[in-house]
Amino acid sequence: MDRRIRVEYAGGANLDYRISDTAAVELERKLRDWLPDAEVTVDDQVTDELPVIPCAGLWEP
């Protein structure tokens, strides 16, 4: 199942991507460590217009 991952930076930029459920878990954890000032959300608000996150295969277990 695909999920939406949203990264909201403190400066106001929002990035939304489509990502697999399993990859979302790993990437969300990493982004929270790498970007402590950003808010990272994973949810079910997936649309066909969302781009697949670049290098998605890197986050698959």
Side-chain angles (χ1 to χ4, degrees):
M1 174 169 76
D2 282 347
R3 306 287 302 267
R4 177 183 73 158
I5 189 165
R6 169 174 275 189
V7 181
E8 297 180 64
Y9 291 92
N14 296 331
L15 301 173
D16 292 323
Y17 293 103
R18 179 189 316 230
I19 191 168
S20 74
D21 189 39
T22 54
V25 172
E26 181 67 21
L27 182 55
E28 180 182 20
R29 186 172 56 83
K30 291 289 187 185
L31 288 175
R32 290 182 190 274
D33 290 341
W34 294 337
L35 304 170
D37 295 335
E39 184 175 332
V40 180
T41 307
V42 175
D43 60 35
D44 294 327
Q45 296 182 20
V46 179
T47 65
D48 291 336
E49 292 78 29
L50 279 178
V52 174
I53 195 159
C55 302
L58 295 174
W59 308 109
E60 292 295 338

